[in-house]
PDB file of all heavy atoms in Angstrom:
ATOM      1  N   THR A  52      58.953  45.551 112.777  1.00  0.00           N
ATOM      2  CA  THR A  52      59.378  45.430 111.381  1.00  0.00           C
ATOM      3  C   THR A  52      60.011  46.677 110.868  1.00  0.00           C
ATOM      4  O   THR A  52      61.007  46.587 110.170  1.00  0.00           O
ATOM      5  CB  THR A  52      58.059  45.189 110.548  1.00  0.00           C
ATOM      6  OG1 THR A  52      57.390  43.992 110.991  1.00  0.00           O
ATOM      7  CG2 THR A  52      58.362  44.995 109.052  1.00  0.00           C
ATOM      8  N   ASP A  53      59.563  47.902 111.228  1.00  0.00           N
ATOM      9  CA  ASP A  53      60.244  49.126 110.846  1.00  0.00           C
ATOM     10  C   ASP A  53      61.600  49.126 111.404  1.00  0.00           C
ATOM     11  O   ASP A  53      62.569  49.479 110.763  1.00  0.00           O
ATOM     12  CB  ASP A  53      59.428  50.334 111.400  1.00  0.00           C
ATOM     13  CG  ASP A  53      58.242  50.667 110.510  1.00  0.00           C
ATOM     14  OD1 ASP A  53      57.925  49.951 109.599  1.00  0.00           O
ATOM     15  OD2 ASP A  53      57.533  51.645 110.928  1.00  0.00           O
ATOM     16  N   HIS A  54      61.768  48.694 112.668  1.00  0.00           N
ATOM     17  CA  HIS A  54      63.044  48.757 113.355  1.00  0.00           C
ATOM     18  C   HIS A  54      64.059  47.812 112.628  1.00  0.00           C
ATOM     19  O   HIS A  54      65.167  48.190 112.330  1.00  0.00           O
ATOM     20  CB  HIS A  54      62.914  48.335 114.832  1.00  0.00           C
ATOM     21  CG  HIS A  54      64.216  48.424 115.604  1.00  0.00           C
ATOM     22  ND1 HIS A  54      64.577  49.659 116.177  1.00  0.00           N
ATOM     23  CD2 HIS A  54      65.108  47.475 115.930  1.00  0.00           C
ATOM     24  CE1 HIS A  54      65.743  49.433 116.813  1.00  0.00           C
ATOM     25  NE2 HIS A  54      66.099  48.166 116.689  1.00  0.00           N
ATOM     26  N   GLU A  55      63.587  46.601 112.347  1.00  0.00           N
ATOM     27  CA  GLU A  55      64.429  45.618 111.621  1.00  0.00           C
ATOM     28  C   GLU A  55      64.832  46.127 110.267  1.00  0.00           C
ATOM     29  O   GLU A  55      65.994  45.946 109.832  1.00  0.00           O
ATOM     30  CB  GLU A  55      63.675  44.283 111.491  1.00  0.00           C
ATOM     31  CG  GLU A  55      63.539  43.573 112.873  1.00  0.00           C
ATOM     32  CD  GLU A  55      62.553  42.433 112.753  1.00  0.00           C
ATOM     33  OE1 GLU A  55      62.132  42.075 111.649  1.00  0.00           O
ATOM     34  OE2 GLU A  55      62.253  41.894 113.835  1.00  0.00           O
ATOM     35  N   GLY A  56      63.954  46.778 109.501  1.00  0.00           N
ATOM     36  CA  GLY A  56      64.262  47.314 108.232  1.00  0.00           C
ATOM     37  C   GLY A  56      65.321  48.424 108.336  1.00  0.00           C
ATOM     38  O   GLY A  56      66.243  48.492 107.467  1.00  0.00           O
ATOM     39  N   LEU A  57      65.266  49.280 109.278  1.00  0.00           N
ATOM     40  CA  LEU A  57      66.225  50.345 109.451  1.00  0.00           C
ATOM     41  C   LEU A  57      67.569  49.766 109.825  1.00  0.00           C
ATOM     42  O   LEU A  57      68.619  50.222 109.414  1.00  0.00           O
ATOM     43  CB  LEU A  57      65.767  51.334 110.495  1.00  0.00           C
ATOM     44  CG  LEU A  57      64.642  52.276 110.061  1.00  0.00           C
ATOM     45  CD1 LEU A  57      64.127  53.118 111.222  1.00  0.00           C
ATOM     46  CD2 LEU A  57      65.029  53.175 108.840  1.00  0.00           C
ATOM     47  N   VAL A  58      67.592  48.740 110.754  1.00  0.00           N
ATOM     48  CA  VAL A  58      68.827  48.098 111.116  1.00  0.00           C
ATOM     49  C   VAL A  58      69.483  47.430 109.924  1.00  0.00           C
ATOM     50  O   VAL A  58      70.699  47.579 109.715  1.00  0.00           O
ATOM     51  CB  VAL A  58      68.570  47.093 112.224  1.00  0.00           C
ATOM     52  CG1 VAL A  58      69.800  46.183 112.503  1.00  0.00           C
ATOM     53  CG2 VAL A  58      68.182  47.806 113.518  1.00  0.00           C
ATOM     54  N   GLN A  59      68.690  46.762 109.087  1.00  0.00           N
ATOM     55  CA  GLN A  59      69.239  46.086 107.884  1.00  0.00           C
ATOM     56  C   GLN A  59      69.844  47.177 106.962  1.00  0.00           C
ATOM     57  O   GLN A  59      70.924  47.023 106.403  1.00  0.00           O
ATOM     58  CB  GLN A  59      68.150  45.293 107.179  1.00  0.00           C
ATOM     59  CG  GLN A  59      68.669  44.631 105.915  1.00  0.00           C
ATOM     60  CD  GLN A  59      67.574  43.788 105.201  1.00  0.00           C
ATOM     61  OE1 GLN A  59      66.456  43.588 105.777  1.00  0.00           O
ATOM     62  NE2 GLN A  59      67.816  43.422 103.991  1.00  0.00           N
ATOM     63  N   PHE A  60      69.163  48.304 106.780  1.00  0.00           N
ATOM     64  CA  PHE A  60      69.611  49.347 105.929  1.00  0.00           C
ATOM     65  C   PHE A  60      70.905  49.886 106.510  1.00  0.00           C
ATOM     66  O   PHE A  60      71.870  50.147 105.801  1.00  0.00           O
ATOM     67  CB  PHE A  60      68.573  50.516 105.888  1.00  0.00           C
ATOM     68  CG  PHE A  60      68.998  51.703 105.144  1.00  0.00           C
ATOM     69  CD1 PHE A  60      69.047  51.694 103.764  1.00  0.00           C
ATOM     70  CD2 PHE A  60      69.414  52.839 105.785  1.00  0.00           C
ATOM     71  CE1 PHE A  60      69.520  52.801 103.074  1.00  0.00           C
ATOM     72  CE2 PHE A  60      69.856  53.948 105.120  1.00  0.00           C
ATOM     73  CZ  PHE A  60      69.924  53.986 103.751  1.00  0.00           C
ATOM     74  N   TYR A  61      70.980  50.142 107.828  1.00  0.00           N
ATOM     75  CA  TYR A  61      72.194  50.613 108.478  1.00  0.00           C
ATOM     76  C   TYR A  61      73.363  49.708 108.209  1.00  0.00           C
ATOM     77  O   TYR A  61      74.481  50.102 107.849  1.00  0.00           O
ATOM     78  CB  TYR A  61      71.924  50.687 109.963  1.00  0.00           C
ATOM     79  CG  TYR A  61      73.158  51.060 110.829  1.00  0.00           C
ATOM     80  CD1 TYR A  61      73.481  52.454 110.971  1.00  0.00           C
ATOM     81  CD2 TYR A  61      73.936  50.134 111.464  1.00  0.00           C
ATOM     82  CE1 TYR A  61      74.630  52.769 111.757  1.00  0.00           C
ATOM     83  CE2 TYR A  61      75.010  50.475 112.188  1.00  0.00           C
ATOM     84  CZ  TYR A  61      75.345  51.825 112.400  1.00  0.00           C
ATOM     85  OH  TYR A  61      76.439  52.170 113.120  1.00  0.00           O
ATOM     86  N   LYS A  62      73.194  48.472 108.351  1.00  0.00           N
ATOM     87  CA  LYS A  62      74.285  47.386 108.187  1.00  0.00           C
ATOM     88  C   LYS A  62      74.722  47.304 106.750  1.00  0.00           C
ATOM     89  O   LYS A  62      75.902  47.124 106.465  1.00  0.00           O
ATOM     90  CB  LYS A  62      73.851  46.044 108.750  1.00  0.00           C
ATOM     91  CG  LYS A  62      73.792  46.063 110.219  1.00  0.00           C
ATOM     92  CD  LYS A  62      73.298  44.748 110.767  1.00  0.00           C
ATOM     93  CE  LYS A  62      73.202  44.737 112.329  1.00  0.00           C
ATOM     94  NZ  LYS A  62      72.732  43.481 112.856  1.00  0.00           N
ATOM     95  N   GLU A  63      73.772  47.397 105.790  1.00  0.00           N
ATOM     96  CA  GLU A  63      74.085  47.188 104.399  1.00  0.00           C
ATOM     97  C   GLU A  63      74.547  48.460 103.651  1.00  0.00           C
ATOM     98  O   GLU A  63      75.264  48.346 102.671  1.00  0.00           O
ATOM     99  CB  GLU A  63      72.896  46.555 103.684  1.00  0.00           C
ATOM    100  CG  GLU A  63      72.589  45.135 104.150  1.00  0.00           C
ATOM    101  CD  GLU A  63      71.387  44.531 103.472  1.00  0.00           C
ATOM    102  OE1 GLU A  63      70.749  45.150 102.572  1.00  0.00           O
ATOM    103  OE2 GLU A  63      71.008  43.465 103.911  1.00  0.00           O
ATOM    104  N   ASN A  64      74.056  49.618 104.036  1.00  0.00           N
ATOM    105  CA  ASN A  64      74.343  50.813 103.292  1.00  0.00           C
ATOM    106  C   ASN A  64      75.117  51.913 104.087  1.00  0.00           C
ATOM    107  O   ASN A  64      75.619  52.824 103.424  1.00  0.00           O
ATOM    108  CB  ASN A  64      73.110  51.477 102.793  1.00  0.00           C
ATOM    109  CG  ASN A  64      72.407  50.679 101.644  1.00  0.00           C
ATOM    110  OD1 ASN A  64      71.271  50.337 101.796  1.00  0.00           O
ATOM    111  ND2 ASN A  64      73.170  50.372 100.592  1.00  0.00           N
ATOM    112  N   CYS A  65      75.272  51.743 105.366  1.00  0.00           N
ATOM    113  CA  CYS A  65      75.852  52.790 106.102  1.00  0.00           C
ATOM    114  C   CYS A  65      77.235  52.405 106.660  1.00  0.00           C
ATOM    115  O   CYS A  65      77.768  53.157 107.466  1.00  0.00           O
ATOM    116  CB  CYS A  65      74.912  53.160 107.226  1.00  0.00           C
ATOM    117  SG  CYS A  65      73.245  53.591 106.676  1.00  0.00           S
ATOM    118  N   GLY A  66      77.676  51.255 106.279  1.00  0.00           N
ATOM    119  CA  GLY A  66      78.976  50.883 106.814  1.00  0.00           C
ATOM    120  C   GLY A  66      78.927  50.478 108.267  1.00  0.00           C
ATOM    121  O   GLY A  66      79.982  50.411 108.914  1.00  0.00           O
ATOM    122  N   GLY A  67      77.816  50.162 108.750  1.00  0.00           N
ATOM    123  CA  GLY A  67      77.689  49.733 110.139  1.00  0.00           C
ATOM    124  C   GLY A  67      78.301  50.697 111.122  1.00  0.00           C
ATOM    125  O   GLY A  67      78.132  51.862 110.996  1.00  0.00           O
ATOM    126  N   SER A  68      79.166  50.200 112.035  1.00  0.00           N
ATOM    127  CA  SER A  68      79.835  51.043 112.989  1.00  0.00           C
ATOM    128  C   SER A  68      80.823  51.994 112.370  1.00  0.00           C
ATOM    129  O   SER A  68      81.195  52.961 113.049  1.00  0.00           O
ATOM    130  CB  SER A  68      80.491  50.136 114.045  1.00  0.00           C
ATOM    131  OG  SER A  68      81.422  49.324 113.479  1.00  0.00           O
ATOM    132  N   GLU A  69      81.203  51.824 111.131  1.00  0.00           N
ATOM    133  CA  GLU A  69      82.122  52.688 110.416  1.00  0.00           C
ATOM    134  C   GLU A  69      81.349  53.954 109.975  1.00  0.00           C
ATOM    135  O   GLU A  69      82.064  54.901 109.539  1.00  0.00           O
ATOM    136  CB  GLU A  69      82.664  51.959 109.202  1.00  0.00           C
ATOM    137  CG  GLU A  69      83.245  50.589 109.516  1.00  0.00           C
ATOM    138  CD  GLU A  69      84.671  50.672 110.013  1.00  0.00           C
ATOM    139  OE1 GLU A  69      85.410  51.525 109.437  1.00  0.00           O
ATOM    140  OE2 GLU A  69      85.081  49.923 110.915  1.00  0.00           O
ATOM    141  N   TRP A  70      80.087  53.989 109.987  1.00  0.00           N
ATOM    142  CA  TRP A  70      79.342  55.115 109.476  1.00  0.00           C
ATOM    143  C   TRP A  70      79.601  56.375 110.363  1.00  0.00           C
ATOM    144  O   TRP A  70      79.082  56.427 111.494  1.00  0.00           O
ATOM    145  CB  TRP A  70      77.855  54.742 109.382  1.00  0.00           C
ATOM    146  CG  TRP A  70      76.947  55.794 108.778  1.00  0.00           C
ATOM    147  CD1 TRP A  70      77.301  56.736 107.843  1.00  0.00           C
ATOM    148  CD2 TRP A  70      75.554  55.991 109.031  1.00  0.00           C
ATOM    149  NE1 TRP A  70      76.231  57.486 107.520  1.00  0.00           N
ATOM    150  CE2 TRP A  70      75.163  57.068 108.211  1.00  0.00           C
ATOM    151  CE3 TRP A  70      74.667  55.372 109.868  1.00  0.00           C
ATOM    152  CZ2 TRP A  70      73.845  57.540 108.189  1.00  0.00           C
ATOM    153  CZ3 TRP A  70      73.375  55.834 109.859  1.00  0.00           C
ATOM    154  CH2 TRP A  70      72.956  56.856 109.025  1.00  0.00           C
ATOM    155  N   GLY A  71      80.280  57.346 109.847  1.00  0.00           N
ATOM    156  CA  GLY A  71      80.719  58.469 110.618  1.00  0.00           C
ATOM    157  C   GLY A  71      79.554  59.453 110.982  1.00  0.00           C
ATOM    158  O   GLY A  71      79.642  60.187 111.877  1.00  0.00           O
ATOM    159  N   LYS A  72      78.485  59.394 110.191  1.00  0.00           N
ATOM    160  CA  LYS A  72      77.389  60.334 110.448  1.00  0.00           C
ATOM    161  C   LYS A  72      76.161  59.619 110.910  1.00  0.00           C
ATOM    162  O   LYS A  72      75.048  59.993 110.623  1.00  0.00           O
ATOM    163  CB  LYS A  72      77.097  61.056 109.099  1.00  0.00           C
ATOM    164  CG  LYS A  72      78.206  61.910 108.585  1.00  0.00           C
ATOM    165  CD  LYS A  72      77.791  62.663 107.376  1.00  0.00           C
ATOM    166  CE  LYS A  72      78.942  63.540 106.813  1.00  0.00           C
ATOM    167  NZ  LYS A  72      78.494  64.304 105.649  1.00  0.00           N
TER     168      LYS A  72
END
Side-chain angles (χ1 to χ4, degrees):
T52 301
D53 283 1
H54 186 83
E55 290 168 8
L57 289 172
V58 169
Q59 182 180 346
F60 175 77
Y61 175 85
K62 290 178 179 178
E63 292 178 4
N64 290 123
C65 305
S68 60
E69 308 276 322
W70 186 26
K72 297 182 178 183

